[in-house]
Amino acid sequence: MFSYRHSAIALTAVLCACGSSGAGSSNSNAGQASYSAITLLSHEPADAAVQVPLTTTITMRFDARMVLDCTRHPDTWLRRSGTDVSLPGTWSLADNSQSLVFTPNSQLLPETDYDVSVSPLTCDQQGRILETTTTFSFRTLDETAPSVIAANVTPNQTGRSRTAPLVVTLSEAIGSSSVTPNSVILRDIYNQRYDCTRTVSGATLSMQPLADLPGDRRFTLQVGDLVTDRAGNQLPATWTVSFWTATDTRAPAVTSVWPPNLAAGISPLIQPIVTFDEGMDPFTVEPSSLLFQDEFGSLVAYTVACSSDQRTLRIRPNQPLSSGRTYLLAFLVSGAAVTDVSGNPLTSTQPLSFVTGSDAVPPQVASADPSNLATRVSLNAEPRVTFVESLDPTWVTNSTVQLLQNGVVVPAVLSQPDAQSVQLSPVLPFDAAASYSVRVRSGHDGLRDLAGNILAQDVLVTFATAEDATLPTASMQPADGAVGVPATMRASIVFSSRLDPATVSDSTCELWTDAGSSVPSIVALTSEDRVVTITPLATLSPLTYYRILVRGGSSGLRETSGNWLPDNLSARFRVGSTSDVTAPVVTATVNGIDSSRRFGLVLPTHGFSFDIDAQDGLQVPDLGSVRIDLTGPGTAPDPAAFYQNATIGYRSFRAIVPSTLALTPGTWTATVRVADLAGNVGVSPAFTFAVAEPSGALVPFERTQVVWTRTDLDRDGNGRADFDDDMLRLGLATTGDPASTNVHVRNVARDAILARANDLFGRGARGEPLDQDSVAIRFTPFEPIALAHLQIAVGGLDPQGNRNRSYGDPTTGVLGRAYYDYRNGNTNDRNIGTSPGLGVFPAEMFLYQADLHTQLYPAFQTMFAQRFLPLCPNMGGTPAGSHPLDATVLRASFNPNTATGQEYARWLVVMRAIDDWALVIGTVLAHEVGHAVGLVAPGNAPRGLFGDSSLHNTNASAAEVMAPAVGYEAMVSLDYHFRDTNMAYLRHRILLR
């Protein structure tokens, strides 16, 4: 139970727990304790299925025997897409109770999209839950042909843009594979087809012409009957629309030429390129409009090719040009000049002159890194392709050099490390266990050398990335800038994961003098391949600088997965003038538990952690030398084995004991040794602990403990939920709900409180587990169905006080009460009663803060007042829902990123108040639920958790969740957490006997 210390200075409150619920133990004979989520193995219909029969049933197959009634949870439903009405039907069990089957009461509607949601509280017969919300969609039988219902061009429209896309909307989503150049056609009055990019998005088809359309010409867009909906139904007939393009009278102009004017050494195979500012008609390029001749006046016979947008014309000599000659290329301005697609002639020209050389050899690839078909490529790789000669940088572009994944271009920054190479730096790291390719385009749209020779064929370098999604990191000792390093030192580099031994050598891990001379050394890989040591063969010189270099990149150190360091690691250090004979001071414990609370602990056979700290004065100890020596009733794990999954810092080492290193039950003694760089070994004081099998009689959870957080109760009998009374008191709601915003703000506040409580137990905002440190407690605002669960009331005043108290009245000093339940013996605790008053009482915090405010304001403004003065009606504020802007800013659809300054300011006032209130009430909620699952057992281990007779932490710090007293200011400003023993208990890392 939380209750206040009545002190205007401390601003604190006290938390309390009632005695045992007396409901008995539900898990005393449960055997081996474990908790895990059930898994949805498959479902029918499949996600995105089409042509689903109208009489279909929804079948979901799990890896466990299910409970039928859990399907009544409000987050489990079948709905028409875009609606919030669940369809009625009947649930049943099948496949030996491993399948849940939903049969709708009536046939589904044809040609309709449906969504299915499966609640995370869906449970099996052992009380395990799904833990994650699962959704999928499907479309029912569709036999109706689609139709065109809209277009952005009208029949016989005139003045239509020559470049804008043509957009057509069908009556339903389009089958994208049915949209092809033969099914959707754009042609002019002369029956000439025009190339377009065709894009499908839902029911919308967009046609973007690749080239400018001719001006003042009649066009027809045709959507053929080969176009279908997602179910394969074709348009009943071809749909067409005709329009006229806008008149174009502007003359074209040249924007660039290639090769550059007056360039020399150009390949005899050159095909000059001229680019215009609009689409050109290539058929108007002929000898009368384009002059191409050599220095002797001999004409060059040619043909013309154009780009897809018709803005670039490439002149192709019919024969190779002669070496060592000067050539002239010039478009002529005359009555026969080249024209744009609308017939407007060129009115100005710029001649191109160049001199040919003798290089007619296409560029050749010299090497690729990664190489073609390489595997285990690091996720931070920057692929490079190197050629045997220099490249023309003009043609090194994102269209000539691309990074692909499954044929799709991946964003990457293109660069040239040198004149002969191209390199791609992905914008995002590579996906793990994925296939990528570097494509260098050939041909006249591709890469070329300085002479203009083109690649003969595309270069394609394909490689597979490492399966590990994390990149290696390392800590180096001596560190960069270290001084006073012992002359007899051994350098130690500790990596975050195992290294490939084949990459560890004196060529990748080096020791140098500051002058650049290599120091002969022995390089070794130790400690489960996570630690590299560099041992000089001779004593280092005093007062001298040295450097350590660990090479990164593809030629440096790599993890066993293949990932490599993104850059070289280096450290410059100075050797001291005196010897180091002082050993590190080593302290060690388990589960991070302070040594004062470590005695008498009973640990499970695995899953607990060894936590080590080493101090070495001004030096940093060698964390690559950590050795955990165990003696006990069974075979002790190899000390080096603890490095497999250890988290290692500069002075800390933490290893969670995996099941592969499980200890034999009995009494064990641990001693930890850590050396420094000079070889001095520090030894921790030995400590003893017991190991036992973690049966259900010794741990609080065998499955996820679901906590129904009740905000629906009206325990003061005023006809309104106590939680809603709190919203009105605080100014987070308005009586009468004039702006219809109360429900949304209420839900935001409720969810924020639960998010805070979930966070304190190591879970996501909606209760989803995050990692192995997540506690098996999940908060939900909805009633769990067919599932053992704990209930706790949140809202209103302490039921044991006067129910008619209001602003200015005294508080009972109690923020919450809950039944204390040793080892969570009863998973069905009901902390919702009024005699005794159970639950969380936010109104008592409100009354206490209001009292402080009236005493201190305006001389001092509490943190509560800073947030609620603008809102609380009793403090002169404008409640949420009463401000003129609230109808806009307190909607679920409101986007603060596009709001006006005034809208954003009002929204921020409300949301900041909710954030602070959620931090406070969510912390109180976590505290009371802590009591309900066995915190804090009085007495010392192995029975107790170092709690006192009030069931709170003894000698608690200011920010411990299970402290007997809390302060509003502390809860909104400090990093609240559970004490080490509390969290170890919650995570099943210590056992209570």
Side-chain angles (χ1 to χ4, degrees), residues 863 867 911-921 968 972:
M863 296 182 73
R867 289 288 183 254
M911 294 304 140
R912 282 178 169 172
I914 290 175
D915 283 346
D916 275 12
W917 191 248
L919 286 174
V920 172
I921 304 306
Y968 185 97
V972 298

Side-chain angles (χ1 to χ4, degrees), residues 601 820 822 936-947 981 990-993:
L601 292 181
Y820 170 72
Y822 185 59
V936 177
N940 298 343
R943 176 172 176 79
L945 291 170
F946 300 90
T981 49
I990 58 175
L991 310 177
L992 295 186
R993 285 180 166 169

